Amino acid sequence: MDATLTNQSENENIWGGGNKPLNASYGKMMMWFFIVSDALTFSGFLAAYGFSRFKYIESWPIADEVFNHFPFLHGVDAPMYYVALMTFILIFSSVTMVLAVDAGHHMKKNKVAFYMLLTIVGGAIFLGSQAWEWKNFINGQYGAVETRGGQILQFVNAETGKRVNLNSFAASIPTDRSQHEAKNGVWYVTESTLPTYSVEEITAGFLANENLLIKTQQNDAKGHKIVLDREGSINKITQAVHVVEGANLVRNEYGSPLFANFFFFITGFHGFHVFTGVLINLIIFFNVVIGTYEKRGHYEMVEKVGLYWHFVDLVWVFVFTFFYLV
Amino acid sequence: MAVEHKLSIFRGRLTFKSVTQKIWGVLIFLSILTVIEVVLGIFKPQVLMNTFLGMKLLNWIFIILTIIKAYYIAWDFMHLRDERRSFTSSIVLPLLILIPYLIFILLLEADYIYNVMSDGFVSWDF
């Protein structure tokens, strides 16, 4: 009985929103049900990511080898530190949000405003971090070549086993090939920016450097990428048809194109949520400052945006696990 | 708005004096879990690289820790602990039923496709 009782009094206006089913106000309840549907959307994305990953279980890129940058540490292999930092920033902004909600329960206007501001700053830092992460992902670091069959071949040093940058071995072969622009031909025909090096330059440079080997996408039994011997590498490099630098939606230097597609789509969709969260937080922050909720007599609106903000944090916890850890 | 808050976590083993204290306590707990995840992810102990139920033991640990984190974010930061049980259930049950189901059918199907392709004539699909 207690569960569904709506605590309705005689003079209460049911359709005016005064009714509280399940002891939660309509606004809060609808925010929760929006979160439930949004959670299903995100789990759909992540399950689709899992689908692709299990489909390509033997050739999926290893996250530690892709996301290994840290600000001001150029060339240092720092897997995971940066995303771990981003996770802490988001969890911390979640804490300031819940402190704001708590201050709202005690009707402390200045405290609510202060904690809201901290939350907004945390969200902004997170967004900036994500932009930096995208920049590194899109620009790439070493470059690779793609074969006719769509496989990505990366170059490693035979002695150290470390990835080698294309510019450290590519030969220089003068060519007349330049990027086709619409102004030079049919107006609707263009092409994207050409890679820095042509396939011929990479092949010639690779053959001239004895200590270079090719790293394939296939995993060995221990989950490491298989590195071919010199003979196999020379055989493989002849199949190269594209030079790949960085990542876009068609091909990327890290491996399967789907990896980049899911990265852009899932972290992008999450980043969009963070962005809208920051905007909504800003609106509520200004409302707190001008005293809207003080006049209304309660700070429930802070609680509602708080729910959304925590949800964004919750989603990041899962994205962090499935993109960077697992 | 007088809302009553439940101040105990870990099934009543740890009780805080105020809501603010509970928030910081939960933050510390979540941070410890994240640090464990990051340390395991960097060192990758050999013992945990064995496969269990189609996945590495390490990945199972990551997923379980993530679900624990999700529980504390929802229960303490999103105040589900203070809501009526029926309200909590109406939020959590649909997710608990639908998401594992979705994951189950998609991953099973993906494994099937992987087997078809590895046994078949396709050398590389992209």
Side-chain angles (χ1 to χ4, degrees):
Chain A
M1 235 355 235
D2 178 56
T4 47
L5 206 64
T6 55
N7 311 328
Q8 192 193 337
S9 60
E10 281 286 318
N11 49 4
E12 193 176 7
N13 180 9
I14 301 175
W15 299 104
N19 207 341
K20 282 187 159 190
L22 307 182
N23 206 22
S25 74
Y26 270 125
K28 196 159 109 183
M29 192 177 216
M30 291 307 127
M31 178 53 92
W32 262 114
F33 289 161
F34 164 71
I35 286 172
V36 168
S37 68
D38 219 17
L40 287 173
T41 311
F42 269 108
S43 54
F45 290 157
L46 284 172
Y49 174 80
F51 176 88
S52 300
R53 207 174 151 156
F54 270 66
K55 186 175 162 191
Y56 301 109
I57 194 91
E58 282 180 344
S59 58
W60 199 251
I62 298 167
D64 284 356
E65 295 175 2
V66 179
F67 307 103
N68 55 0
H69 299 77
F70 199 86
F72 311 114
L73 294 178
H74 296 286
V76 179
D77 185 45
M80 303 239 306
Y81 297 106
Y82 191 59
V83 271
L85 181 71
M86 283 166 72
T87 309
F88 278 118
I89 292 168
L90 209 55
I91 289 182
F92 199 77
S93 83
S94 217
V95 166
T96 54
M97 187 78 230
V98 77
L99 288 172
V101 173
D102 185 50
H105 285 157
H106 298 108
M107 300 298 286
K108 290 174 184 157
K109 180 182 152 186
N110 288 335
K111 256 188 154 176
V112 177
F114 173 67
Y115 285 130
M116 287 291 292
L117 191 65
L118 279 186
T119 309
I120 292 164
V121 170
I125 296 174
F126 180 84
L127 278 177
S129 310
Q130 210 166 34
W132 193 76
E133 183 93 344
W134 272 50
K135 187 214 92 185
N136 285 325
F137 189 79
I138 292 171
N139 286 341
Q141 197 178 358
Y142 300 104
V145 292
E146 192 183 296
T147 65
R148 197 186 312 279
Q151 299 188 51
I152 290 291
L153 307 176
Q154 299 169 338
F155 302 99
V156 293
N157 190 313
E159 283 134 39
T160 58
K162 292 224 167 89
R163 291 274 305 274
V164 175
N165 205 317
L166 289 185
N167 62 21
S168 64
F169 68 89
S172 177
I173 304 172
T175 170
D176 292 336
R177 178 83 167 84
S178 61
Q179 187 184 351
H180 175 71
E181 288 168 332
K183 66 178 182 188
N184 298 327
V186 190
W187 59 272
Y188 51 83
V189 179
T190 58
E191 77 177 348
S192 50
T193 318
L194 292 177
T196 324
Y197 305 102
S198 67
V199 176
E200 290 75 29
E201 286 174 324
I202 298 297
T203 312
F206 181 79
L207 295 176
N209 278 284
E210 285 293 328
N211 68 336
L212 286 182
L213 294 177
I214 276 179
K215 193 182 194 182
T216 62
Q217 287 303 294
Q218 262 73 19
N219 293 347
D220 61 16
K222 281 188 171 171
H224 301 295
K225 299 290 177 202
I226 293 172
V227 178
L228 300 173
D229 57 6
R230 182 69 187 166
E231 206 174 313
S233 302
I234 291 171
N235 185 27
K236 206 76 176 168
I237 191 83
T238 54
Q239 299 171 13
V241 289
H242 288 293
V243 176
V244 187
E245 290 170 303
N248 54 37
L249 288 174
V250 183
R251 51 177 67 94
N252 68 78
E253 65 168 66
Y254 313 106
S256 173
L258 275 173
F259 178 73
N261 297 355
F262 275 114
F263 176 78
F264 288 131
F265 201 66
I266 294 179
T267 64
F269 197 61
H270 175 261
F272 178 68
H273 273 76
V274 179
F275 178 68
T276 47
V278 169
L279 279 189
I280 298 169
N281 276 348
L282 262 180
I283 294 169
I284 301 300
F285 168 71
F286 285 122
N287 269 327
V288 171
V289 171
I290 63 176
T292 309
Y293 307 122
E294 198 72 28
K295 268 179 236 151
R296 195 176 288 176
H298 59 81
Y299 280 86
E300 203 190 61
M301 209 63 199
V302 177
E303 198 174 335
K304 286 176 212 159
V305 293
L307 285 179
Y308 182 70
W309 190 254
H310 296 312
F311 170 68
V312 167
D313 179 33
L314 194 62
V315 169
W316 178 256
V317 167
F318 281 91
V319 172
F320 173 65
T321 301
F322 289 112
F323 250 95
Y324 298 96
L325 288 177
V326 169
Chain B
M1 227 172 43
V3 188
E4 51 182 304
H5 292 286
K6 295 184 180 129
L7 296 173
S8 303
I9 61 172
F10 304 137
R11 298 196 161 270
R13 285 195 190 94
L14 187 57
T15 306
F16 295 100
K17 288 198 193 76
S18 70
V19 182
T20 325
Q21 265 192 11
K22 186 180 83 166
I23 294 165
W24 289 111
V26 172
L27 170 71
I28 291 167
F29 180 61
L30 293 180
S31 304
I32 291 171
L33 289 189
T34 310
V35 168
I36 292 174
E37 281 185 337
V38 172
V39 169
L40 282 179
I42 288 168
F43 290 108
K44 292 193 175 35
Q46 274 306 313
V47 195
L48 299 176
M49 299 307 264
N50 300 321
T51 314
F52 176 72
L53 286 179
M55 212 162 41
K56 276 182 208 146
L57 220 49
L58 188 66
N59 291 356
W60 282 111
I61 293 177
F62 286 150
I63 289 170
I64 290 165
L65 287 180
T66 304
I67 292 169
I68 295 172
K69 279 204 282 190
Y71 171 83
Y72 281 99
I73 291 174
W75 252 249
D76 289 310
F77 288 177
M78 297 168 99
H79 303 300
L80 271 188
R81 208 186 283 278
D82 305 326
E83 303 292 351
R84 284 236 182 114
R85 212 186 146 74
S86 47
F87 188 51
T88 315
S89 305
S90 71
I91 290 159
V92 178
L93 277 185
L95 298 178
L96 278 188
I97 294 164
L98 290 174
I99 295 173
Y101 173 62
L102 180 71
I103 292 171
F104 168 73
I105 48 178
L106 278 187
L107 295 193
L108 204 70
E109 190 70 9
D111 192 48
Y112 169 73
I113 293 176
Y114 163 74
N115 283 322
V116 168
M117 290 205 315
S118 67
D119 297 342
F121 296 108
V122 186
S123 79
W124 185 262
D125 180 30
F126 49 94

